[in-house]
């Protein structure tokens, strides 16, 4: 067994402990490691949507400014190692394996052993310390206050991208409840940025910031104008300069505005980030699975939208890029999502729907998802095997010369791209 295989085997063992919110285990583990999370500067990001894209933008800008920036995000979409990046590049199997295997004995020495995500979180902190990163951008897995990343005691900046209804079984059934969890990453005296527009969420976050004596910031929308969207990317004006962003999706303008707001705060915290580095960093950012064009004849696009807010933005993007052209839709989601709402959001844009079951224990059965579309008069067909669904959806799109849009869980990104590669 290779070191990489041994590391994966240990993570599978940890995964059998399930997913449990709380900071007791991760706090004990990071103490055994010597508090690596507090050895480097950090930006801590929570929020319902946009965490990954925002983090990728920040890391790309920091890299352009000359900083060695690490990033930790979830879920991994190609292999477990792509949750760990330095300078925007996935760490090697060797470095990943070494840090996992080094901390595994500590995990096993604990009375209450950590979950898989807690092991990965601790490994990220330790890896960035070993690699002497100048700064790390750390993304919450779920929520905020009880998320294992929330052992960071003094971040440069806490970020809440937005608050929408998602993970309601864990975080609460109202925006206010969910916002209170996400506001749990705010630390005393440290700045916090909120990029959302929900007034209820804003009120909760304002109150939390006030209690923590933390200055609250918002996106610099007054400085942004003349946005232009096409299938090569996004461009807009910001403080007299034209910025280019290669990422698609109408929602990326919001993520870019949030990134620019965060960069201004980081500059106030003492980081040297000239506008040229901001411009170059945004122009060279890379991020998979967010309205990503995988083929062009016909267009095949994968977007990891999986909750109502994300699906709404995906629908806006389809209208923006393809106008009145109806698309072939392939979709697979987790069973805890409000999938019944998706039919109204996507129905008028769709020629036919191909539903699939992602390879995940929490996945919604493709027949159930197909039925929700059929009941609204939208032609649909279900495939339990994702590879078969991709093949049939691509064949249909190619025959009718229409775009194929794949939506849903990022957990199916790797399987989708592998299936597409066989065609």
């Amino acid at each position: 067994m290779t070191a990489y295989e041994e590391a994966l085997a240990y993570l599978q063992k940890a995964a059998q402990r399930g997913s449990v919110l709380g900071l007791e285990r991760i706090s004990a583990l990071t103490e055994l490691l010597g508090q690596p999370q507090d050895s480097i500067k950090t930006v801590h990001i929570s929020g319902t949507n946009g965490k990954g894209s925002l983090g990728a933008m920040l890391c790309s800008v920091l890299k352009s400014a000359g900083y060695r920036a690490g990033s930790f995000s979830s879920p991994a979409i190609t292999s477990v190692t792509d949750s760990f990046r330095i300078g925007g590049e996935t760490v090697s199997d060797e470095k990943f394996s070494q840090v996992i295997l080094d901390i595994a004995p500590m995990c096993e020495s604990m009375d209450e052993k950590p979950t898989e995500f807690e092991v990965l979180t601790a490994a990220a902190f330790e890896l960035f310390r070993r690699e002497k990163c100048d700064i790390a951008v750390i993304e919450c897995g779920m929520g905020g206050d009880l998320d294992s990343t929330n052992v960071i005691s003094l971040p440069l900046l806490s970020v809440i991208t937005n608050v929408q209804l998602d993970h309601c079984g864990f975080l609460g059934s109202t925006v206010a409840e969910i916002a209170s969890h996400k506001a749990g990453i705010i630390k005393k005296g440290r700045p916090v940025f909120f990029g959302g527009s929900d007034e209820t969420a804003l009120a909760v976050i304002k109150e939390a910031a006030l209690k923590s004596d933390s200055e609250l910031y918002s996106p610099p929308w007054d400085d942004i104008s003349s946005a232009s969207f096409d299938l090569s990317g996004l461009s807009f004006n910001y403080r007299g300069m034209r910025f280019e962003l290669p990422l698609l999706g109408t929602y990326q303008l919001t993520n870019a505005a949030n990134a620019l707001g965060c960069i201004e705060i980081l500059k106030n915290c003492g980081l040297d980030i000239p506008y040229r580095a901001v411009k170059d960093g945004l122009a060279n950012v890379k991020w998979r699975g967010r309205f990503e064009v995988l083929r062009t004849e016909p267009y095949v696009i994968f977007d990891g939208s999986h909750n109502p807010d994300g699906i709404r933005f995906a629908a806006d993007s389809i209208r923006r890029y393809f106008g009145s052209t109806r698309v072939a839709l392939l979709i697979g989601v987790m069973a805890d999502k409000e999938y019944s709402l998706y039919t109204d959001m996507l129905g008028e844009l769709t020629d036919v729907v191909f539903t699939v079951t992602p390879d995940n224990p929490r996945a919604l059965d493709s027949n159930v998802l197909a039925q929700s579309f059929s009941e609204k008069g939208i032609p649909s067909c279900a495939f339990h095997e994702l590879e078969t669904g991709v093949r049939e959806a691509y064949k249909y799109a190619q025959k009718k010369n229409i775009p194929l849009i794949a939506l849903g869980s990022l957990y199916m990104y790797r399987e989708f791209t592998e299936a597409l590669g066989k065609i």
Side-chain angles (χ1 to χ4, degrees), residues 2-3 7 70 100 127 130 168 200 238-239 247 265 267 282 299 309 318 321 323 327 361 387 403:
T2 67
I100 294 292
L127 177 67
R130 292 182 182 186
C168 295
T200 299
Y238 176 67
R239 295 187 177 178
L247 304 182
I265 301 169
K267 290 169 68 174
L282 291 182
Y299 272 101
D309 194 54
I318 294 169
Y321 297 120
V327 304
E387 182 175 334

Side-chain angles (χ1 to χ4, degrees), residues 39-54:
S39 65
I40 56 174
K41 298 180 176 70
T42 53
V43 176
H44 195 192
I45 305 178
S46 182
T48 304
N49 293 315
K51 297 185 295 295
S53 295
L54 171 62

Side-chain angles (χ1 to χ4, degrees), residues 327-328 351-352 354 391-402:
V327 304
D351 190 72
V352 65
F354 298 83
R391 184 174 63 248
E392 294 303 313
Y394 183 82
K395 186 189 303 183
Y396 184 91
Q398 189 176 47
K399 179 180 178 181
K400 298 202 70 173
N401 193 30
I402 59 175

Side-chain angles (χ1 to χ4, degrees), residues 182-397:
K182 297 187 185 300
I185 69 168
I186 298 172
K187 300 299 189 298
K188 186 170 180 60
R190 304 309 305 158
V192 57
F193 177 93
F194 178 55
S197 58
D198 188 280
E199 291 296 329
T200 299
L202 177 59
V204 172
I205 293 164
K206 271 185 177 179
E207 182 179 358
L210 185 63
K211 287 181 179 178
S212 297
D213 194 25
S214 300
E215 191 165 359
L216 178 61
Y217 295 83
S218 57
W221 283 115
D222 290 345
D223 296 326
I224 295 173
S225 63
S226 304
S228 176
F229 301 85
D230 60 39
L231 284 165
S232 64
L234 160 68
S235 63
F236 58 91
N237 291 337
Y238 176 67
R239 295 187 177 178
M241 293 180 66
R242 192 69 178 169
F243 286 77
E244 308 285 339
L245 188 71
L247 304 182
L248 301 190
T250 55
Y251 50 82
Q252 294 296 4
L253 181 61
T254 296
N255 291 331
N258 290 347
L260 292 166
C262 291
I263 289 162
E264 293 300 326
I265 301 169
L266 294 176
K267 290 169 68 174
N268 291 338
C269 291
L271 272 63
D272 182 15
I273 310 175
Y275 277 113
R276 174 52 60 180
V278 180
K279 184 177 177 69
D280 291 346
L282 291 182
N284 291 295
V285 67
K286 300 175 183 176
W287 198 236
R288 291 175 171 173
R290 277 70 172 184
F291 225 84
E292 179 185 0
V293 176
L294 300 172
R295 291 195 182 182
T296 57
E297 294 183 359
Y299 272 101
V300 179
I301 292 173
F302 187 99
D303 188 79
S305 299
H306 58 277
N307 55 43
D309 194 54
I311 294 291
R312 177 173 61 82
F313 278 115
D316 290 343
S317 298
I318 294 169
R319 291 188 190 92
R320 170 78 67 170
Y321 297 120
F322 300 110
S324 60
T325 301
R326 286 181 175 266
V327 304
L329 178 67
L330 182 140
I331 185 168
V333 298
M334 298 297 105
D336 62 349
K337 303 305 175 186
E338 295 181 272
Y339 60 89
S340 61
L341 302 177
Y342 301 169
T343 55
D344 290 335
M345 296 179 183
L346 298 166
E348 66 176 2
L349 308 171
T350 304
D351 190 72
V352 65
V353 178
F354 298 83
T355 63
V356 295
T357 306
D359 184 17
N360 188 285
R362 296 189 294 111
L364 178 68
D365 186 272
S366 57
N367 289 298
V368 176
L369 185 56
Q371 184 178 356
S372 70
F373 282 95
S374 297
E375 288 174 351
K376 293 295 182 71
I378 304 164
S380 61
C381 43
F383 296 89
H384 186 70
E385 297 294 332
L386 191 143
E387 182 175 334
T388 305
V390 173
R391 184 174 63 248
E392 294 303 313
Y394 183 82
K395 186 189 303 183
Y396 184 91

